[in-house]
């Protein structure tokens, strides 16, 4: 009963119109039929006046919409004595708004599920006891207890020997992911059947789930450009409708014919179709591990003609391994690796973890630096054991020592050069493997109309060209600085351009492209914030899924708009011959609204290709 009352209050125009209709029915049955035209006519004109206020406000802002048709249909029906038809038109308009709201709420369900599940508390283990705290009080390094079936409050590392986590709401992975001590655990995951201990590695604001929630909130507030595209149909549709109604009146000589035609021209199909379709598309994307920051992004994805990719962490796994140490000038392998790993402790580059892991696997002790400075995309300089250690690209090292020499690298390898105390100390080689789904993803892009695919990377040309050949990209620009990437994207003529990246250094070019897509599973906050869409699973094929969803959404939105318009015009033409009474026409228009909504809701249930089946996310792959 409470739910019914909530609906009655929320959709009060529908409730009020039904109450007026009920009162009119009672008056008619009790012999007071003379008052019914006054009741229906007065109420319909009042609602038309209320609608006209919004219309005038829009016109003052130079926004021509479809309200004029609704107002004209109501007034015309009253003037020719079709009072019941006028009430039905009012009910239809109010019902259309209610149906649109209900459809939007249904379409938004998957997005709202993320917001509703946002964890609020954590169980902090301290001094042998347990204390419940708000997640904003959790600090890096805190030891937390996870009870069975609880949501992980912040990103952390598993302390307990083993556990299983349901990550479906975060990554789309439907199968619980098994983890062992030391593995990373995403906030928003659901713990299994055993109580576990977790060491926090991020605060709430910097954790994966809270970042996803922020993206969802931003996405849900947006309005798609195609909604404005629907508004652009308003002028021709209004002119055509008024013209048909006027011709019917002039030819028949009956003013009622004007109302009979116009009640079939109410604007609900145009007003409803696009918003419902785009919210449905955003919901479908969220279910597939893709957060789209607005309906406008879906329209841009549908129109995209060029796709540009970063290499490391995007087309490759981004988890390179050390394959060779080549010391120079009397340095030993372990000595050089130890110095590099010590300096790389102060770097955020993806190679840093590979060198540190390699040093620890050799039981090398990492030293603390007296000073350290990272030069974004180039390298790091740190003072280790009283010596300046510079690690980075060849050009970065060549600026510091005169005898730097390039080393030989094999296919798929990349070299990092080292200078110690002003002397060239050698190079380290690492190899990063290409994602197995990358080549198939590029084939799908071509099938979706994206013929121009390119790679922009800061890595060496040899490594970049090897990866490009593996995946089927022919246009490569290597050794790029962030500014170079922005300039390259700006120079592309086939637009809109999609840029796909994963790192902090990709943030500027992601913002510069029409559509920036971040592989955000690794928590690259800057990239995720500057991107228009964020892929939450470690699967580059989701780029093709995002484009497919964009194309499907725009196609269904436009199909729904045209469906409503064509059926309305066809019925108007029939009504010109006087075979559809005004009251019946109003009811038929309500049916058109329902068909339009159902057609637009197809974006929610549309299926992706088999290649988009969820895969194990990166955090479990690294474990």
């Amino acid at each position: 009963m409470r739910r019914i009352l909530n609906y009655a209050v929320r959709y009060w125009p529908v409730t009020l119109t039904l109450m007026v209709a009920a009162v009119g029915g009672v008056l008619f049955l009790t012999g007071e039929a003379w008052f019914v035209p006054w009741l229906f006519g007065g109420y319909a004109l009042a609602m038309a006046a209320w609608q006209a206020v919004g219309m005038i406000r829009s016109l003052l802002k130079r926004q021509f919409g479809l309200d004029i048709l609704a107002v004209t249909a109501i007034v015309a029906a009253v003037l020719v004595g079709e009072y019941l038809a006028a009430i039905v038109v009012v009910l239809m308009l109010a019902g259309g708004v209610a149906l649109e709201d209900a459809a939007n709420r249904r379409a938004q369900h998957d997005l709202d599920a993320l917001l509703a599940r946002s964890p609020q508390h954590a169980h902090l283990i301290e001094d042998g006891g347990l204390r419940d705290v708000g997640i904003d009080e959790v600090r890096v390094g805190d030891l937390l207890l996870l009870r069975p079936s609880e949501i992980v409050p912040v990103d952390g590392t598993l302390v307990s020997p083993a556990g299983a986590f349901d990550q479906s709401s975060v990554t789309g992975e439907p199968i619980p992911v098994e983890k062992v001590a030391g593995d990373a655990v995403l906030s928003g995951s659901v713990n299994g059947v055993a109580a576990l201990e977790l060491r926090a590695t991020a605060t709430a604001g910097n954790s994966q789930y809270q970042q996803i929630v922020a993206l969802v909130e931003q996405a849900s507030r947006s309005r798609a450009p195609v909604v404005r595209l629907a508004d652009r149909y308003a002028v021709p549709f209004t002119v055509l409708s008024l013209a048909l109604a006027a011709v019917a009146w002039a030819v028949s000589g009956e003013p009622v014919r004007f109302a009979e035609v116009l009640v079939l021209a109410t604007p609900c199909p145009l007003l409803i179709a696009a918003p419902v379709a785009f919210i449905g598309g955003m919901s479908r994307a969220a279910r597939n591990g893709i957060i789209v920051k607005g309906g406008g992004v879906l329209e841009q994805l549908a129109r995209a003609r060029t796709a540009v990719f970063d290499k490391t962490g995007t087309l490759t796994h981004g988890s390179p391994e050390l394959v060779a140490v080549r010391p120079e000038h009397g340095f030993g392998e372990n000595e050089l690796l130890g110095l590099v790993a010590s300096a790389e402790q102060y770097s955020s580059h993806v190679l840093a973890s590979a060198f540190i892991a390699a040093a620890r696997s050799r039981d090398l002790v990492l030293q603390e630096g007296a000073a350290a400075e990272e030069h974004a995309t180039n390298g790091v300089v740190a003072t280790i054991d009283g010596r300046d250690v510079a690690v980075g690209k060849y050009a970065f090292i060549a600026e510091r020592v005169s005898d730097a020499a390039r080393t030989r690298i094999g296919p798929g390898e990349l070299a990092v050069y080292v200078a110690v105390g002003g002397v060239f100390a050698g190079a380290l080689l690492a190899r990063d493997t290409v994602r197995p789904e990358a080549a198939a993803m590029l084939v799908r892009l071509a099938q979706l109309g994206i013929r121009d695919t390119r790679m922009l990377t800061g890595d060496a040309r040899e490594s970049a060209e090897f990866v490009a050949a593996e995946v089927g990209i022919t246009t490569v620009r290597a050794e790029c600085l962030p500014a170079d990437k922005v300039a390259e994207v700006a120079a592309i003529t086939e637009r809109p351009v999609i840029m796909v990246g994963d790192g902090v250094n990709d943030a500027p070019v992601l913002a510069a492209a029409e559509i920036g897509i971040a592989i955000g599973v690794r928590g690259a906050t800057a990239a995720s914030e500057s991107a228009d869409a964020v892929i939450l699973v470690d699967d580059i094929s989701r780029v093709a899924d995002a484009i497919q969803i964009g194309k499907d959404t725009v196609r269904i939105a436009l199909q729904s708009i045209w469906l409503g318009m064509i059926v309305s015009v066809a019925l108007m033409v029939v009504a010109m011959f006087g075979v559809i009474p005004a009251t019946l026409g109003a009811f038929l228009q309500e049916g058109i609204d329902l068909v339009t909504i159902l057609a637009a809701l197809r974006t929610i249930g549309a299926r992706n290709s088999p290649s988009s089946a969820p895969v194990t996310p990166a955090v479990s792959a690294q474990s």
Side-chain angles (χ1 to χ4, degrees):
M1 185 63 182
R2 179 176 296 179
R3 178 178 296 182
I4 294 175
L5 289 175
N6 288 338
Y7 284 144
V9 173
R10 180 185 301 159
Y11 305 124
W12 65 266
V14 176
T15 305
L16 184 58
T17 304
L18 289 173
M19 290 175 63
V20 169
V23 170
V26 171
L27 290 173
F28 181 81
L29 294 174
T30 56
E32 302 294 333
W34 64 272
F35 189 69
V36 173
W38 292 96
L39 176 64
F40 284 3
Y43 176 74
L45 290 175
M47 294 299 288
W50 178 57
Q51 189 81 10
V53 171
M55 177 187 72
I56 292 171
R57 287 176 179 171
S58 297
L59 290 175
L60 290 175
K61 296 177 183 178
R62 297 184 179 181
Q63 296 175 352
F64 185 86
L66 292 156
D67 297 333
I68 189 171
L69 278 179
V71 173
T72 305
I74 293 170
V75 173
V78 172
L79 290 179
V80 299
E82 293 285 350
Y83 303 109
L84 181 57
I87 284 293
V88 173
V89 172
V90 172
L91 179 62
M92 179 195 62
L93 290 175
V97 174
L99 286 171
E100 178 187 359
D101 182 75
N104 287 348
R105 288 171 183 269
R106 167 63 184 88
Q108 189 125 357
H109 174 77
D110 293 300
L111 297 180
D112 290 342
L114 283 172
L115 302 176
R117 293 179 66 261
S118 182
Q120 302 298 324
H121 299 90
H123 311 303
L124 179 64
I125 301 174
E126 56 181 5
D127 301 326
L130 196 64
R131 181 167 65 93
D132 286 350
V133 298
I135 61 169
D136 292 334
E137 299 178 49
V138 176
R139 297 292 176 261
V140 174
D142 284 350
L143 184 63
L144 307 176
L145 174 68
L146 292 176
R147 292 182 174 133
S149 301
E150 278 192 335
I151 299 174
V152 179
V154 296
D155 291 349
T157 301
L158 187 63
V159 175
S160 298
F165 296 86
D166 177 1
Q167 300 182 159
S168 58
S169 64
V170 182
T171 66
E173 168 61 57
I175 301 173
V177 178
E178 302 286 340
K179 294 182 180 292
V180 297
D183 285 352
V185 180
L186 289 176
S187 61
S189 304
V190 179
N191 186 23
V193 296
L196 302 173
E197 291 185 359
L198 181 81
R199 182 78 63 183
T201 58
T203 61
N206 292 324
S207 291
Q208 179 81 359
Y209 194 79
Q210 282 71 22
Q211 293 175 21
I212 294 171
V213 168
L215 294 177
V216 171
E217 288 176 331
Q218 180 181 349
S220 64
R221 290 194 299 266
S222 68
R223 182 172 186 251
V226 81
V227 178
R228 294 190 290 272
L229 176 63
D231 291 343
R232 290 203 292 269
Y233 287 104
V235 173
F237 186 67
T238 299
V239 171
L240 176 62
S241 301
L242 291 173
L244 291 175
V247 169
W249 183 1
V251 171
S252 66
E254 299 175 1
V256 70
R257 199 67 57 82
F258 183 85
E260 291 174 348
V261 172
L262 216 55
V263 294
L264 288 161
T266 46
C268 290
L270 293 181
L271 298 176
I272 292 172
V276 171
F278 271 83
I279 291 177
M282 291 162 61
S283 174
R284 175 186 167 194
R287 292 201 318 273
N288 284 275
I290 307 164
I291 297 297
V292 177
K293 296 184 183 179
V297 177
L298 290 173
E299 187 187 18
Q300 289 279 55
L301 285 167
R303 297 172 48 238
R305 292 293 176 268
T306 301
V308 181
F309 295 88
D310 180 43
K311 182 180 76 70
T312 305
T314 303
L315 292 173
T316 66
H317 281 295
S319 302
E321 297 180 351
L322 180 69
V323 294
V325 180
R326 295 175 180 171
E328 299 281 350
H329 295 104
F331 286 90
E333 281 194 17
N334 285 349
E335 180 187 11
L336 181 61
L337 177 58
L339 289 170
V340 169
S342 298
E344 290 284 15
Q345 293 178 106
Y346 307 98
S347 172
S348 61
H349 196 276
V350 67
L351 284 172
S353 59
F355 295 147
I356 293 171
R360 286 175 174 165
S361 70
R362 299 188 186 190
D363 296 325
L364 302 179
V365 177
L366 303 188
Q367 304 177 62
E368 292 187 6
E373 180 183 4
E374 183 173 20
H375 298 256
T377 77
N378 284 309
V380 63
V381 178
T383 302
I384 307 295
D385 194 22
R387 293 180 290 181
D388 287 339
V389 179
V391 184
K393 296 179 179 178
Y394 173 78
F396 181 67
I397 301 302
E399 291 177 355
R400 287 163 169 74
V401 293
S402 59
D403 58 344
R406 290 187 181 273
T407 190
R408 185 186 73 260
I409 63 175
E413 296 178 346
L414 53 90
V416 173
Y417 296 86
V418 189
V420 178
V423 176
F424 180 59
L428 283 74
L429 271 61
R431 179 183 294 115
D432 190 10
T433 56
V434 175
R435 293 178 182 268
E437 73 274 13
M441 178 270 299
L442 287 162
V443 172
R444 283 188 64 199
L445 292 188
Q447 295 169 346
L448 290 168
I450 297 183
R451 306 294 181 182
D452 186 359
T453 53
R454 309 184 183 196
M455 178 195 293
L456 297 179
T457 178
D459 292 338
R461 172 162 295 279
E462 295 87 349
S463 176
E465 289 181 344
F466 172 79
V467 172
E470 285 280 294
V471 299
I473 292 178
T474 56
T475 304
V476 180
R477 172 78 188 274
E479 300 180 4
C480 292
L481 297 174
D484 297 330
K485 293 183 178 181
V486 172
E488 286 287 327
V489 168
I492 295 173
T493 55
E494 289 292 324
R495 310 191 81 90
V497 176
I498 298 172
M499 176 66 205
V500 186
D502 80 318
V504 173
N505 63 326
D506 294 322
V509 69
L510 288 173
E514 281 88 352
I515 313 108
I517 300 179
I519 308 294
V521 70
R522 298 179 191 276
T525 305
S528 298
E529 289 180 352
S530 62
D532 301 294
V534 181
I535 295 175
L536 304 177
V537 293
D538 195 27
D539 182 1
I540 193 67
S541 70
R542 299 300 172 97
V543 173
D545 291 342
I547 296 171
Q548 183 69 66
I549 291 171
K551 286 183 175 293
D552 289 346
T553 300
V554 171
R555 173 177 53 80
I556 290 173
L558 292 177
Q559 283 177 352
S560 302
I561 290 171
W562 280 105
L563 174 64
M565 287 174 48
I566 290 171
V567 175
S568 292
V569 171
L571 289 174
M572 280 189 283
V573 171
V574 174
M576 291 175 68
F577 296 95
V579 298
I580 301 179
T583 301
L584 176 60
F587 279 114
L588 288 174
Q589 182 60 40
E590 185 74 8
I592 295 173
D593 297 342
L594 181 59
V595 170
T596 301
I597 290 174
L598 293 175
L601 281 173
R602 290 179 296 149
T603 55
I604 298 177
R607 296 173 178 265
N608 284 347
S609 66
S611 64
S612 66
V615 297
T616 303
V619 287
S620 61
Q622 294 172 329
S623 54

